[in-house]
Amino acid sequence: MNVHAPALAKAHRLDDQASAFASDVIEGLSQPPKRLSPKYFYDAAGSELFEQITVLPEYYPTRTELGILRQRAGEIAAIIPGGAALVEFGAGATTKVRLLLDQCRFGAYVPVDISGDFLKAQADALRRDFSTLNVHPVTADFTTPFALPEAVRDLPKVGFFPGSTLGNFEPHEASAFLRSAREILGHGAQMVIGVDLEKDDRVLYDAYNDAAGVTARFNLNVLVRINRELGGNFDISGFIHRAIYNRERHRIEMHLIAKKAQTVRVLGRSFSFHPGESIHTESSYKYSLDRFTALARGSGWTVRQSWTDAAGMFSVHVLVASD
Ligand code: AVJ
């Protein structure tokens, strides 16, 4: 056996990730209208800015979802089979999963994330605090099919997809993701999912236009990242953050707006902007309970139970695989 193979495979994966970023950026900036995927917000600086967003007074989703999970963890535990493997799609801060791990007797925890380093640190912390929990991190892009670790093959499966990350997907992508999760988790699986709800325009607007300007910095950071990682020459001060609620399409849209005409070079290519031209950097879809229920049903799942906070701002659902 070639002892260097794992190291080479790892280097190759990193190359793949870097070149996917490069080709996605080139493709996105070549389109009219220009766009960038929100998955590229989360370099080290972007992840730190996102953590700051989650505690902003205007940003209600994180604290509202935590409140629901805290209040309902006992009820969730009661409908989840003992000894199940909890498979988390994407792994950020461990605050939310700890609420479930505190209440439910899981046989294993499988965090799945594209960032292997972050996963390892997170896994180590959980092993320390839950000494009997088997933690099996999987480094993978959870939007594409991946294999679960052999060690959890015979355990019941429970998916976990908090934070309304589902909202970043276009509706057809959200459906494809739910179908793929159903395939990965298999027959009889359940899934705990957090989904942000439609509400008053002003509340939504403020959540993405915080007074302290953290969301603006989070949005602009993707240009900083392109400059650093792809040798771009974006003038960051030449763009402003804009977030609007598009009620017809049930989504917050984040844009970066060119203040003046300018030409930017990235990886040897030129991209021209006219004054006021936008780069669409994120959509964050908001659901009604009915639209989410229909989406789940059309994607291989049945809603078993749903909870919201008292003000109906955010929802948490337990889904059961259909058939
Ligand atoms: C992580 C996708 C749920 O849409 O609210 C926060 C990302 N963007 N502020 C969201 C985000 C701007 C967040 N999600």
Side-chain angles (χ1 to χ4, degrees):
M1 190 196 147
N2 178 354
V3 292
H4 298 296
L8 287 173
K10 179 148 196 250
H12 190 69
R13 271 205 306 278
L14 291 174
D15 277 1
D16 286 352
Q17 279 180 36
S19 68
F21 180 39
S23 54
D24 284 355
V25 167
I26 297 300
E27 196 189 289
L29 294 181
S30 304
Q31 309 271 333
K34 294 182 172 64
R35 55 181 169 76
L36 292 169
S37 167
K39 71 179 172 201
Y40 296 122
F41 283 140
Y42 302 93
D43 65 351
S47 299
E48 169 56 30
L49 286 165
F50 181 69
E51 289 308 311
Q52 291 178 31
I53 287 174
T54 64
V55 294
L56 288 169
E58 299 94 335
Y59 193 76
Y60 62 85
T62 309
R63 77 175 63 87
T64 309
E65 182 179 44
L66 275 169
I68 298 169
L69 288 173
R70 210 171 276 130
Q71 188 186 356
R72 305 297 182 174
E75 284 170 75
I76 294 171
I79 60 178
I80 277 172
L86 184 67
V87 180
E88 181 165 5
F89 295 90
T94 58
T95 326
K96 291 168 190 169
V97 77
R98 282 167 186 270
L99 288 173
L100 292 185
L101 294 173
D102 279 339
Q103 290 288 324
C104 313
R105 302 173 324 287
F106 285 106
Y109 172 55
V110 182
V112 183
D113 201 87
I114 190 94
S115 163
D117 289 347
F118 189 76
L119 261 184
K120 276 202 191 67
Q122 189 214 43
D124 288 344
L126 282 169
R127 283 191 190 103
R128 253 195 321 276
D129 297 343
F130 298 86
S131 55
T132 63
L133 186 69
N134 296 307
V135 183
H136 304 284
V138 173
T139 306
D141 177 349
F142 66 78
T143 63
T144 60
F146 61 88
L148 289 177
E150 193 60 25
V152 306
R153 201 186 57 191
D154 296 328
L155 303 181
K157 311 294 185 304
V158 178
F160 187 42
F161 197 43
S164 203
T165 307
L166 190 78
N168 266 171
F169 296 132
E170 294 300 317
H172 74 277
E173 295 170 336
S175 182
F177 166 76
L178 290 171
R179 281 189 180 289
S180 153
R182 160 71 186 76
E183 282 315 301
I184 290 163
L185 297 172
H187 190 76
Q190 301 195 58
M191 173 113 144
V192 179
I193 182 166
V195 180
D196 198 10
L197 299 175
E198 282 196 297
K199 59 185 63 64
D200 180 68
D201 289 42
R202 187 77 222 177
V203 175
L204 282 170
Y205 181 88
D206 289 348
Y208 294 83
N209 290 279
D210 61 288
V214 183
T215 308
R217 272 189 280 142
F218 174 72
N219 197 3
L220 287 160
N221 177 63
V222 73
L223 303 184
V224 178
R225 181 177 186 185
I226 291 170
N227 283 354
R228 187 184 59 246
E229 293 184 25
L230 304 179
N233 69 348
F234 273 102
D235 169 12
I236 309 305
S237 69
F239 288 82
I240 54 163
H241 163 73
R242 179 172 297 160
I244 53 136
Y245 185 54
N246 182 334
R247 188 163 282 282
E248 293 69 54
R249 302 189 72 168
H250 314 284
R251 69 189 198 191
I252 287 280
E253 294 175 7
M254 295 219 307
H255 299 267
L256 290 167
I257 308 289
K259 287 198 219 165
K260 54 177 173 24
Q262 51 197 299
T263 298
V264 176
R265 288 188 69 79
V266 180
L267 291 170
R269 290 178 176 73
S270 291
F271 302 97
S272 293
F273 291 83
H274 56 73
E277 185 171 352
S278 150
I279 309 172
H280 182 181
T281 52
E282 181 169 46
S283 292
S284 183
Y285 280 84
K286 308 305 172 188
Y287 286 87
S288 66
L289 293 177
D290 283 351
R291 276 191 298 112
F292 177 70
T293 301
L295 174 74
R297 189 175 299 131
S299 315
W301 298 91
T302 305
V303 177
R304 176 165 182 181
Q305 208 154 347
S306 300
W307 299 275
T308 74
D309 55 300
M313 306 262 272
F314 200 93
S315 60
V316 172
H317 311 261
V318 174
L319 310 181
V320 181
S322 315
D323 76 64

